[in-house]
Amino acid sequence: MNETRRAVLAALDDGPVTGPALAERLEVSRTAVWKHVEALRDAGFVVDSVADGYVLAGVPEYGAAAVEFGLDAPFDVEYHDALPSTNDRARELAADGASDVVVLADRQTGGKGRRGREWSSPAGGVWTSLLLRPDVPPARAPLLTLAAAVAVTDAAREAGVDAEIKWPNDVVVSDERDSSGRGGAKLAGVLTEMEGEASRVSWLAVGVGVNVNLDPGELDGEATSVRAEVGDVPRRVFVQRLLERFAALRDDPDDILTAWRERAATIGQRVRVETADGDVVGDAVDVTEHGALVVDTADGAQVVHAGDCQHLRSA
Ligand code: BTN
Protein backbone atom coordinates (compact mmCIF):
# COMPACT_ATOMS: atom_id res chain seq x y z
CA MET A 1 0.00 0.00 0.00
CA ASN A 2 1.49 3.37 -0.91
CA GLU A 3 2.18 6.03 1.71
CA THR A 4 -0.72 8.33 0.77
CA ARG A 5 -3.26 5.51 0.82
CA ARG A 6 -1.90 4.37 4.17
CA ALA A 7 -2.30 7.95 5.47
CA VAL A 8 -5.86 8.18 4.10
CA LEU A 9 -6.73 4.92 5.85
CA ALA A 10 -5.26 6.10 9.16
CA ALA A 11 -7.22 9.37 8.90
CA LEU A 12 -10.47 7.50 8.15
CA ASP A 13 -9.81 5.28 11.14
CA ASP A 14 -9.56 8.43 13.29
CA GLY A 15 -12.50 9.99 11.39
CA PRO A 16 -14.97 11.27 10.50
CA VAL A 17 -12.94 13.53 8.24
CA THR A 18 -14.15 15.51 5.25
CA GLY A 19 -12.65 15.07 1.78
CA PRO A 20 -11.42 18.69 1.61
CA ALA A 21 -9.83 18.48 5.09
CA LEU A 22 -8.09 15.28 4.13
CA ALA A 23 -6.90 16.75 0.84
CA GLU A 24 -5.41 19.72 2.64
CA ARG A 25 -3.78 17.60 5.35
CA LEU A 26 -2.17 15.21 2.86
CA GLU A 27 -1.43 17.93 0.29
CA VAL A 28 -3.24 16.13 -2.52
CA SER A 29 -6.27 17.04 -4.63
CA ARG A 30 -9.84 16.23 -3.56
CA THR A 31 -10.08 13.97 -6.59
CA ALA A 32 -7.05 12.06 -5.36
CA VAL A 33 -8.68 11.62 -1.94
CA TRP A 34 -11.85 10.33 -3.56
CA LYS A 35 -9.83 7.87 -5.68
CA HIS A 36 -8.03 6.54 -2.60
CA VAL A 37 -11.36 6.11 -0.79
CA GLU A 38 -12.79 4.21 -3.77
CA ALA A 39 -9.66 2.04 -4.00
CA LEU A 40 -9.95 1.22 -0.30
CA ARG A 41 -13.60 0.28 -0.79
CA ASP A 42 -12.56 -1.95 -3.71
CA ALA A 43 -10.04 -3.63 -1.39
CA GLY A 44 -12.89 -4.47 1.01
CA PHE A 45 -12.67 -1.64 3.53
CA VAL A 46 -16.05 -0.26 4.54
CA VAL A 47 -15.89 3.53 4.34
CA ASP A 48 -19.10 5.23 5.43
CA SER A 49 -20.02 8.72 4.26
CA VAL A 50 -21.60 10.43 7.25
CA ALA A 51 -22.63 14.04 7.92
CA ASP A 52 -19.12 14.96 9.14
CA GLY A 53 -17.25 13.25 6.30
CA TYR A 54 -15.79 9.82 5.78
CA VAL A 55 -15.20 7.24 8.48
CA LEU A 56 -13.75 3.73 8.50
CA ALA A 57 -16.48 1.27 9.47
CA GLY A 58 -14.99 -2.10 8.57
CA VAL A 59 -11.76 -3.89 7.63
CA PRO A 60 -11.58 -6.74 5.12
CA GLU A 61 -11.25 -10.23 6.57
CA TYR A 62 -7.95 -11.06 4.84
CA GLY A 63 -5.65 -9.87 2.08
CA ALA A 64 -2.67 -7.55 1.61
CA ALA A 65 -4.34 -4.29 2.66
CA ALA A 66 -6.09 -5.99 5.59
CA VAL A 67 -2.82 -7.37 6.98
CA GLU A 68 -0.87 -4.15 6.37
CA PHE A 69 -3.56 -2.09 8.15
CA GLY A 70 -2.34 -1.60 11.72
CA LEU A 71 0.68 -3.88 11.20
CA ASP A 72 3.57 -2.94 13.47
CA ALA A 73 6.32 -4.59 11.41
CA PRO A 74 8.27 -3.32 8.39
CA PHE A 75 6.88 -5.62 5.71
CA ASP A 76 4.99 -5.06 2.47
CA VAL A 77 2.38 -7.74 1.90
CA GLU A 78 1.54 -9.36 -1.43
CA TYR A 79 -1.63 -11.46 -1.44
CA HIS A 80 -2.91 -14.12 -3.86
CA ASP A 81 -6.10 -16.17 -3.70
CA ALA A 82 -4.08 -19.13 -4.99
CA LEU A 83 -0.42 -19.81 -5.74
CA PRO A 84 1.50 -23.00 -6.39
CA SER A 85 3.81 -22.10 -3.50
CA THR A 86 4.45 -18.84 -1.64
CA ASN A 87 8.13 -19.85 -1.39
CA ASP A 88 8.34 -20.04 -5.19
CA ARG A 89 6.72 -16.61 -5.50
CA ALA A 90 9.20 -15.23 -2.94
CA ARG A 91 12.01 -16.65 -5.06
CA GLU A 92 10.64 -14.77 -8.10
CA LEU A 93 10.45 -11.55 -6.08
CA ALA A 94 14.02 -12.11 -4.90
CA ALA A 95 15.14 -12.30 -8.53
CA ASP A 96 13.53 -8.86 -9.02
CA GLY A 97 15.55 -7.49 -6.08
CA ALA A 98 12.68 -7.25 -3.57
CA SER A 99 13.19 -7.46 0.19
CA ASP A 100 11.04 -7.50 3.32
CA VAL A 101 8.04 -8.66 1.34
CA VAL A 102 5.54 -11.09 2.82
CA VAL A 103 3.83 -13.32 0.27
CA LEU A 104 0.46 -14.58 1.43
CA ALA A 105 -1.88 -17.02 -0.29
CA ASP A 106 -5.34 -18.22 0.69
CA ARG A 107 -4.45 -21.61 -0.76
CA GLN A 108 -1.47 -23.28 -2.39
CA THR A 109 -1.76 -25.81 -5.18
CA GLY A 110 1.81 -27.10 -4.84
CA GLY A 111 2.75 -26.38 -1.25
CA LYS A 112 6.20 -27.71 -0.33
CA GLY A 113 7.19 -29.32 2.95
CA ARG A 114 10.55 -30.38 4.35
CA ARG A 115 12.46 -33.24 2.75
CA GLY A 116 10.64 -32.92 -0.58
CA ARG A 117 7.22 -33.68 0.90
CA GLU A 118 3.96 -32.09 -0.21
CA TRP A 119 2.31 -29.64 2.15
CA SER A 120 -1.47 -29.60 1.95
CA SER A 121 -2.63 -26.01 1.84
CA PRO A 122 -6.40 -25.63 1.41
CA ALA A 123 -8.14 -22.26 1.74
CA GLY A 124 -8.41 -21.19 5.37
CA GLY A 125 -4.80 -21.71 6.47
CA VAL A 126 -2.00 -19.21 6.78
CA TRP A 127 0.45 -19.94 3.96
CA THR A 128 3.14 -17.33 3.83
CA SER A 129 6.75 -16.68 2.91
CA LEU A 130 8.90 -13.88 4.28
CA LEU A 131 11.46 -12.66 1.78
CA LEU A 132 14.43 -11.28 3.69
CA ARG A 133 17.95 -10.08 2.90
CA PRO A 134 19.77 -10.37 6.22
CA ASP A 135 23.33 -9.11 6.21
CA VAL A 136 24.73 -12.31 7.73
CA PRO A 137 26.82 -15.30 6.65
CA PRO A 138 24.80 -18.43 5.73
CA ALA A 139 25.77 -20.06 9.04
CA ARG A 140 23.65 -17.45 10.88
CA ALA A 141 20.61 -17.92 8.64
CA PRO A 142 19.11 -20.87 10.59
CA LEU A 143 18.46 -18.50 13.47
CA LEU A 144 15.74 -16.87 11.37
CA THR A 145 14.08 -20.25 10.84
CA LEU A 146 14.14 -20.76 14.60
CA ALA A 147 12.67 -17.26 15.00
CA ALA A 148 9.80 -18.16 12.69
CA ALA A 149 8.92 -21.19 14.83
CA VAL A 150 8.96 -19.01 17.95
CA ALA A 151 6.78 -16.39 16.25
CA VAL A 152 4.22 -19.00 15.15
CA THR A 153 4.17 -20.53 18.62
CA ASP A 154 3.54 -17.16 20.23
CA ALA A 155 0.82 -16.20 17.72
CA ALA A 156 -0.86 -19.57 18.34
CA ARG A 157 -0.60 -19.19 22.11
CA GLU A 158 -2.11 -15.71 21.88
CA ALA A 159 -5.00 -17.33 20.03
CA GLY A 160 -5.39 -19.75 22.95
CA VAL A 161 -3.63 -22.79 21.47
CA ASP A 162 -1.26 -24.73 23.72
CA ALA A 163 1.53 -24.77 21.14
CA GLU A 164 5.15 -25.78 21.51
CA ILE A 165 8.08 -26.42 19.21
CA LYS A 166 9.21 -29.85 18.15
CA TRP A 167 12.63 -30.11 16.59
CA PRO A 168 13.55 -29.25 13.90
CA ASN A 169 10.92 -26.58 13.53
CA ASP A 170 7.44 -28.00 13.79
CA VAL A 171 4.87 -26.28 15.95
CA VAL A 172 2.80 -28.95 17.66
CA VAL A 173 0.02 -29.41 20.18
CA SER A 174 0.40 -32.36 22.54
CA ASP A 175 -2.90 -33.78 23.66
CA GLU A 176 -5.12 -36.83 23.50
CA ARG A 177 -5.73 -36.23 19.77
CA ASP A 178 -2.09 -37.13 19.19
CA SER A 179 -2.47 -40.87 18.92
CA SER A 180 0.97 -41.25 17.30
CA GLY A 181 2.86 -40.69 20.55
CA ARG A 182 5.47 -39.05 18.36
CA GLY A 183 5.45 -35.72 20.09
CA GLY A 184 2.30 -33.84 19.21
CA ALA A 185 -0.15 -33.21 16.41
CA LYS A 186 1.32 -30.80 13.91
CA LEU A 187 -0.09 -27.28 13.77
CA ALA A 188 2.57 -25.59 11.64
CA GLY A 189 5.82 -26.11 9.77
CA VAL A 190 8.64 -23.92 8.48
CA LEU A 191 10.56 -24.39 5.25
CA THR A 192 13.40 -21.96 4.57
CA GLU A 193 15.02 -21.63 1.17
CA MET A 194 17.98 -19.39 0.49
CA GLU A 195 20.58 -18.25 -1.95
CA GLY A 196 23.95 -16.78 -1.17
CA GLU A 197 27.69 -17.08 -1.16
CA ALA A 198 30.06 -18.48 1.45
CA SER A 199 30.35 -15.14 3.21
CA ARG A 200 26.88 -13.64 2.80
CA VAL A 201 23.25 -14.58 2.38
CA SER A 202 21.75 -13.03 -0.74
CA TRP A 203 18.14 -13.74 0.17
CA LEU A 204 16.12 -15.99 2.38
CA ALA A 205 12.50 -17.14 1.95
CA VAL A 206 11.17 -18.27 5.31
CA GLY A 207 8.06 -20.26 4.40
CA VAL A 208 5.54 -20.73 7.17
CA GLY A 209 2.44 -22.89 6.97
CA VAL A 210 -0.09 -22.78 9.81
CA ASN A 211 -3.26 -24.86 9.90
CA VAL A 212 -5.61 -22.13 11.07
CA ASN A 213 -9.30 -22.20 10.08
CA LEU A 214 -9.28 -25.76 8.76
CA ASP A 215 -10.59 -29.19 9.75
CA PRO A 216 -7.77 -31.67 10.44
CA GLY A 217 -9.53 -34.05 8.03
CA GLU A 218 -8.55 -31.69 5.20
CA LEU A 219 -4.87 -32.14 6.10
CA ASP A 220 -2.27 -34.88 5.77
CA GLY A 221 -0.90 -36.93 8.64
CA GLU A 222 -1.24 -36.33 12.37
CA ALA A 223 -2.31 -32.71 11.99
CA THR A 224 -4.26 -30.35 14.13
CA SER A 225 -5.46 -26.81 13.51
CA VAL A 226 -6.37 -23.66 15.40
CA ARG A 227 -10.02 -24.44 14.56
CA ALA A 228 -9.73 -27.92 16.11
CA GLU A 229 -8.08 -26.54 19.25
CA VAL A 230 -9.98 -23.32 19.98
CA GLY A 231 -12.25 -22.50 17.04
CA ASP A 232 -11.79 -20.09 14.15
CA VAL A 233 -9.73 -16.94 14.59
CA PRO A 234 -9.30 -13.87 12.35
CA ARG A 235 -6.37 -14.79 10.08
CA ARG A 236 -5.58 -11.11 9.55
CA VAL A 237 -4.78 -10.71 13.24
CA PHE A 238 -2.97 -14.06 13.44
CA VAL A 239 -0.63 -13.05 10.60
CA GLN A 240 -0.05 -9.62 12.10
CA ARG A 241 0.98 -11.09 15.47
CA LEU A 242 3.22 -13.61 13.72
CA LEU A 243 4.97 -10.92 11.66
CA GLU A 244 5.32 -8.53 14.58
CA ARG A 245 6.87 -11.22 16.79
CA PHE A 246 9.18 -12.29 13.98
CA ALA A 247 10.31 -8.70 13.34
CA ALA A 248 11.04 -8.19 17.06
CA LEU A 249 13.16 -11.36 17.17
CA ARG A 250 14.99 -10.38 14.00
CA ASP A 251 15.91 -7.10 15.68
CA ASP A 252 17.24 -8.96 18.74
CA PRO A 253 18.88 -12.09 17.33
CA ASP A 254 20.63 -12.84 20.63
CA ASP A 255 17.19 -13.62 22.13
CA ILE A 256 16.16 -16.15 19.49
CA LEU A 257 17.85 -19.28 20.79
CA THR A 258 16.70 -18.70 24.36
CA ALA A 259 13.13 -18.11 23.18
CA TRP A 260 13.26 -21.30 21.07
CA ARG A 261 14.60 -23.38 23.99
CA GLU A 262 11.88 -22.03 26.30
CA ARG A 263 9.18 -23.22 23.91
CA ALA A 264 10.82 -26.51 22.94
CA ALA A 265 8.96 -29.76 23.59
CA THR A 266 11.89 -31.84 22.33
CA ILE A 267 14.56 -30.85 24.83
CA GLY A 268 14.46 -33.25 27.75
CA GLN A 269 12.84 -35.99 25.66
CA ARG A 270 14.19 -39.37 24.70
CA VAL A 271 14.19 -39.20 20.90
CA ARG A 272 14.79 -41.19 17.77
CA VAL A 273 15.95 -39.02 14.86
CA GLU A 274 15.84 -40.57 11.41
CA THR A 275 18.76 -39.09 9.48
CA ALA A 276 20.21 -39.82 6.06
CA ASP A 277 23.00 -41.73 7.87
CA GLY A 278 20.69 -43.81 10.05
CA ASP A 279 18.80 -43.43 13.32
CA VAL A 280 20.16 -41.50 16.28
CA VAL A 281 18.61 -42.53 19.60
CA GLY A 282 19.22 -40.77 22.89
CA ASP A 283 18.24 -37.88 25.12
CA ALA A 284 17.74 -34.52 23.39
CA VAL A 285 19.69 -32.05 25.49
CA ASP A 286 20.01 -28.85 23.46
CA VAL A 287 19.71 -27.06 20.13
CA THR A 288 22.56 -25.06 18.60
CA GLU A 289 22.41 -21.67 16.88
CA HIS A 290 22.62 -23.58 13.61
CA GLY A 291 19.36 -25.31 14.49
CA ALA A 292 21.08 -28.66 15.13
CA LEU A 293 19.84 -31.00 17.86
CA VAL A 294 22.33 -32.21 20.46
CA VAL A 295 21.51 -35.79 21.43
CA ASP A 296 23.15 -37.62 24.30
CA THR A 297 23.53 -41.18 22.98
CA ALA A 298 25.07 -44.34 24.39
CA ASP A 299 28.17 -43.46 22.28
CA GLY A 300 28.38 -39.85 23.49
CA ALA A 301 26.91 -36.55 22.33
CA GLN A 302 25.87 -36.31 18.69
CA VAL A 303 24.94 -33.13 16.85
CA VAL A 304 22.14 -33.85 14.37
CA HIS A 305 21.59 -31.29 11.63
CA ALA A 306 18.57 -32.72 9.81
CA GLY A 307 16.08 -35.51 10.16
CA ASP A 308 12.65 -36.55 11.37
CA CYS A 309 12.36 -36.62 15.11
CA GLN A 310 10.21 -38.95 17.16
CA HIS A 311 9.66 -38.33 20.87
CA LEU A 312 9.91 -41.69 22.67
CA ARG A 313 9.26 -40.57 26.26
CA SER A 314 10.56 -38.01 28.73
CA ALA A 315 14.25 -38.53 29.43
C1 BTN B 1 7.29 -28.77 6.94
O1 BTN B 1 7.38 -29.76 6.20
O2 BTN B 1 7.09 -28.88 8.13
C2 BTN B 1 7.42 -27.39 6.35
C3 BTN B 1 6.13 -26.90 5.76
C4 BTN B 1 6.22 -25.49 5.21
C5 BTN B 1 4.97 -25.08 4.47
C6 BTN B 1 4.98 -23.64 4.07
S1 BTN B 1 3.41 -23.08 3.54
C7 BTN B 1 4.11 -21.59 2.97
C8 BTN B 1 5.43 -21.96 2.33
N1 BTN B 1 5.22 -22.32 0.95
C9 BTN B 1 5.49 -23.60 0.72
O3 BTN B 1 5.38 -24.16 -0.38
N2 BTN B 1 5.89 -24.19 1.85
C10 BTN B 1 5.93 -23.26 2.95
Side-chain angles (χ1 to χ4, degrees):
M1 197 185 308
N2 75 34
E3 279 312 305
T4 312
R5 189 154 305 159
R6 207 183 289 267
V8 170
L9 193 50
L12 298 176
D13 193 28
D14 289 341
V17 59
T18 65
L22 203 45
E24 196 179 325
R25 197 189 306 169
L26 302 179
E27 297 180 342
V28 297
S29 68
R30 292 178 193 188
T31 312
V33 167
W34 181 80
K35 281 186 179 160
H36 282 298
V37 169
E38 285 309 302
L40 287 167
R41 284 177 169 149
D42 287 346
F45 290 91
V46 181
V47 181
D48 284 350
S49 298
V50 294
D52 299 340
Y54 296 118
V55 66
L56 184 65
V59 178
E61 192 261 318
Y62 204 39
V67 171
E68 285 184 7
F69 175 61
L71 175 67
D72 188 14
F75 297 113
D76 290 325
V77 181
E78 181 185 288
Y79 174 81
H80 300 262
D81 287 333
L83 274 179
S85 156
T86 55
N87 269 25
D88 290 350
R89 175 61 189 148
R91 181 180 285 272
E92 284 174 11
L93 290 169
D96 294 342
S99 180
D100 279 357
V101 177
V102 171
V103 182
L104 205 58
D106 185 32
R107 66 189 172 90
Q108 296 182 118
T109 52
K112 301 186 290 188
R114 285 192 305 112
R115 310 188 94 193
R117 297 185 183 116
E118 288 176 11
W119 179 262
S120 50
S121 319
V126 164
W127 322 124
T128 185
S129 299
L130 284 61
L131 173 62
L132 314 167
R133 291 186 188 274
D135 190 13
V136 296
R140 296 279 293 170
L143 268 182
L144 291 166
T145 305
L146 300 179
V150 172
V152 172
T153 304
D154 288 359
R157 287 183 180 181
E158 195 176 316
V161 179
D162 195 9
E164 47 191 6
I165 304 173
K166 178 176 172 231
W167 186 87
N169 255 311
D170 293 349
V171 177
V172 299
V173 180
S174 301
D175 68 7
E176 68 282 357
R177 255 187 300 280
D178 174 31
S179 55
S180 70
R182 289 176 172 230
K186 188 155 166 171
L187 180 76
V190 183
L191 176 70
T192 297
E193 299 181 53
M194 67 177 230
E195 226 170 72
E197 291 146 27
S199 60
R200 230 191 99 250
V201 168
S202 167
W203 58 263
L204 205 67
V206 182
V208 177
V210 194
N211 305 327
V212 180
N213 299 333
L214 295 166
D215 293 323
E218 300 178 73
L219 304 163
D220 295 332
E222 292 281 345
T224 189
S225 66
V226 173
R227 172 182 286 170
E229 300 297 329
V230 295
D232 284 6
V233 296
R235 282 185 296 172
R236 177 178 81 86
V237 176
F238 191 97
V239 173
Q240 288 179 331
R241 294 296 93 80
L242 194 167
L243 296 177
E244 287 163 0
R245 186 70 180 110
F246 181 86
L249 288 161
R250 180 175 68 164
D251 287 348
D252 274 315
D254 291 346
D255 292 349
I256 296 172
L257 206 49
T258 307
W260 195 98
R261 286 182 180 125
E262 283 169 1
R263 291 155 183 75
T266 303
I267 294 174
Q269 297 282 331
R270 184 136 189 100
V271 296
R272 173 181 293 116
V273 189
E274 291 167 26
T275 78
D277 301 324
D279 287 3
V280 176
V281 178
D283 299 338
V285 290
D286 200 8
V287 69
T288 73
E289 64 172 346
H290 307 302
L293 189 67
V294 184
V295 184
D296 224 351
T297 74
D299 303 323
Q302 281 199 41
V303 179
V304 185
H305 289 274
D308 283 328
C309 178
Q310 196 177 334
H311 291 180
L312 301 175
R313 59 177 165 73
S314 291

